[in-house]
Amino acid sequence: MNKPVDPEPQPTQPTEPENSTQPTVNTKPKTRVAPESMPDSVREDLAAAQKALDASNTEEALRHIRRSQRTKITGLSFSLLTRVYCQQHDLANSRANWTRVPATERPRVRQYCSQYDIDL
């Protein structure tokens, strides 16, 4: 008669306790950037510049942007200024003003300028 052979014991993997916590991934919390505080006159000038830019009136847009910058220099003014120069196909001025465009505006400006074959 053959004796039944016991299977060899398999090494078992150590199991984690049931109440262990999953490792956490350290991510930076996304901070919301507060909109720039600016005088009403600057806000109105930049709104007028945006309207002129939408109407392809770049000279009028430049006039409003420059007037707003005499009162207060803002990131939004450089965003608009860069887009005006892109619409005018002015690569040198587009790139010169690109460095002052805030990071939050850059994707929007880059996409706008790509319509005019300007790579920033």
Side-chain angles (χ1 to χ4, degrees), residues 14-116:
T15 58
E16 292 183 27
E18 295 288 325
N19 60 358
S20 71
T21 59
Q22 294 293 330
T24 58
V25 177
N26 291 334
T27 58
K28 293 181 180 178
K30 293 185 178 180
T31 57
R32 295 188 67 81
V33 177
E36 291 181 77
S37 62
M38 60 183 89
D40 289 337
S41 63
V42 172
R43 193 178 317 277
E44 290 167 6
D45 278 332
L46 294 177
Q50 180 65 56
K51 189 174 179 180
L53 181 62
D54 292 342
S56 297
N57 189 349
T58 56
E59 293 304 317
E60 182 74 10
L62 281 173
R63 188 176 68 79
H64 285 291
I65 293 166
R66 288 178 180 144
R67 188 165 78 182
S68 77
Q69 286 184 333
R70 282 193 295 272
T71 305
K72 181 173 183 181
I73 294 177
T74 61
L76 183 57
S77 68
F78 285 105
S79 170
L80 282 164
L81 197 55
T82 304
R83 287 184 276 152
V84 166
Y85 288 128
C86 286
Q87 192 172 23
Q88 291 179 340
H89 299 280
D90 186 345
L91 179 62
N93 279 317
S94 298
R95 286 199 174 159
N97 287 288
W98 170 251
T99 60
R100 306 261 327 249
V101 174
T104 56
E105 288 284 314
R106 285 185 174 211
R108 181 174 150 198
V109 173
R110 184 178 281 128
Q111 182 180 12
Y112 183 88
C113 289
S114 69
Q115 297 172 18
Y116 298 98

Side-chain angles (χ1 to χ4, degrees), residues 1-6:
M1 275 207 167
N2 290 343
K3 284 186 180 178
V5 177
D6 288 335

